[in-house]
Amino acid sequence: MDRCGLFAVYNNNTDVLQTAESIYYGLFSMQHRGMEAAGICVNQGGHFKYKKDEGLVIDIFDAQTLAGMQGHAGIGHVLRYAQGDPRELAQPIVIRYTNGQMAVALNGGLTNTNELRRELELQGAVFQTSEDAEIISVLISRARNRYGEIEDAIASVMPKLKGAYSLLVMTPGKVIGVRDPLGIRPLIIGKKKNSYYLSSETCAYNELGIEPLREVDPGEIVILKESGLRSLRTGAASEKAFCAYEYVYHSRPDSVLEGMEVYEVRSRMGAQLAKEAGVPADVVVWVPNSGLAAATGYAREAGLPLEDAFIKNKFYYNKFVHPTEDMIRRGVTMKLAVIKSRVKDQRVVVVDDSMVRGETGKILVDLLRDAGAKEVHLRIAAPEVKHHCDFGGNDKDEEALVSNRKSPEQIRDMIGADSVAFLSLDGLKQACARTYGGLCLACFDGDYPV
Ligand code: SF4
């Protein structure tokens, strides 16, 4: 699996929001991390109650369902990039084994899935899904028999897992958060009164009045239970490899990841882009909504007015994967329209967060030209995406990535822009320079940390 959203709580207070409601609101705040399926599992005095299904959080859970999910602890998940039936792939995975019940939810992707699956199948394991989370749950349940505590069993399994994983595990007595030794995917600890939380992004905490305490460190296991929070450190890699694409696109701008607000990093990317690839123009516009922060930085650096030229249809939500080119085009034109007075007879710089396949760029240029723009210069606030993500950040085969097949000049000709430019890799590193530790940049430079 891949870029998903995780939220967990160990609820030690009766006067804070009920467990399932907290998870519901937490997942709702992170709906942008996964719109294909969602699930919540709560611990009702040792018995797990859960619901998971295809669709959006608000479609799956209503007030009555949540009221029936009282409990003192729970974990939740939103799913993206399902390679199969989202109903089957929805998480948390809930299993029964000799030590009782266990629920597992994963944000990440393993690179040795096939080897692990084959090894377990040869030992008699039978899998219900193609999920890495299920493989991990089987590995932990088997190791559990050899260790007194679940966290020790998890620590014994971690060296077998290659790739990116931020993981939630719930047992009848504990909620556990785990981050891979490279810290590729985010996981942040929060606290409200005596209750502890884990979330993929701090935006989920903002709305619930939860104080973000700190990131789970690479290779760390944190244990939330009635007596509070405990940490178990397994080996971290020599250098962190936090996913740079979290700053480029994945995360919400108001989240703070690795010590930096996402909006601030994106704005710095835009300013750097203006320094590297500025062009004479009258106005800067952004592609809603993920292009806004970078366009703000670009306009400020270039000394140009920033115009809100695109209207986004509020009722459109991006399912991201469209099966045919025509449907992609229709998807974008259903989503966006241009306010003509903002761009007519203007030399326009349009700023977007990144370019993957390239179809959206052509539609943006067509929309702006149809609205009367005199010139259209496309500026991408990220380097060219040339490689697939081994850790689930994008699921495109490399042939589909436009920058793999075409230079910026060829892309300019393909989409009919007056010019096209990307942020340099050094520019991206510079914009992220104030974040903690190292970055994974593999989808830009092909240098995979695993
Ligand atoms: S390859 Fe790209 S999307 Fe995947 S973890 Fe690295 S930076 Fe993130």
Side-chain angles (χ1 to χ4, degrees), residues 203-352:
C203 66
Y205 291 159
N206 298 345
E207 284 144 32
L208 292 168
I210 296 165
E211 181 197 353
L213 287 186
R214 65 172 176 87
E215 318 269 335
V216 176
D217 285 331
E220 185 182 8
I221 300 172
V222 292
I223 303 113
L224 318 184
K225 51 184 186 171
E226 207 173 352
S227 55
L229 180 140
R230 196 168 74 78
S231 163
L232 177 67
R233 289 182 192 269
T234 68
S238 55
E239 194 175 4
K240 194 182 262 187
F242 183 66
C243 171
Y245 221 83
E246 290 283 349
Y247 291 120
V248 169
Y249 173 77
H250 289 339
S251 295
R252 223 171 78 166
D254 55 333
S255 285
V256 175
L257 300 174
E258 302 292 321
M260 281 290 283
E261 185 190 74
V262 174
Y263 186 97
E264 178 59 25
V265 178
R266 283 187 194 157
S267 171
R268 289 157 60 90
M269 289 172 190
Q272 183 62 28
L273 182 60
K275 281 185 201 154
E276 293 178 2
V279 62
D282 302 308
V283 67
V284 177
V285 303
W286 72 87
V287 181
N289 291 320
S290 48
L292 173 60
T296 306
Y298 186 104
R300 198 185 307 126
E301 180 65 33
L304 291 171
L306 180 67
E307 287 287 359
D308 186 3
F310 285 102
I311 294 287
K312 186 173 180 185
N313 183 335
K314 278 191 268 185
F315 301 99
Y316 179 93
Y317 70 92
N318 189 0
K319 293 284 273 184
F320 200 77
V321 179
H322 298 272
T324 67
E325 207 160 300
D326 181 55
M327 285 178 75
I328 294 169
R329 191 173 181 86
R330 199 177 302 276
V332 178
T333 53
M334 290 303 291
K335 181 167 77 169
L336 293 176
V338 178
I339 303 171
K340 288 188 179 156
S341 62
R342 304 296 87 192
V343 298
K344 192 167 175 349
D345 299 328
Q346 304 284 302
R347 296 170 299 167
V348 178
V349 173
V350 54
V351 179
D352 205 355

Side-chain angles (χ1 to χ4, degrees), residues 184-185 243-245 250 388-391 393-394 440-444 448:
I184 296 174
R185 297 271 164 240
C243 171
Y245 221 83
H250 289 339
H388 74 281
C389 176
D390 266 355
F391 319 115
N394 68 54
C440 173
L441 298 157
C443 51
F444 308 113
Y448 292 91

Side-chain angles (χ1 to χ4, degrees), residues 112-124:
N112 62 337
T113 301
N114 292 342
E115 293 93 308
L116 290 173
R117 177 177 288 270
R118 190 169 154 67
E119 190 185 315
L120 289 167
E121 280 172 347
L122 287 173
Q123 293 166 16

Side-chain angles (χ1 to χ4, degrees), residues 166-187:
S166 281
L167 192 66
L168 299 177
V169 178
M170 184 167 71
T171 65
K174 296 168 187 170
V175 168
I176 291 171
V178 186
R179 204 164 170 210
D180 68 67
L182 288 151
I184 296 174
R185 297 271 164 240
L187 193 62

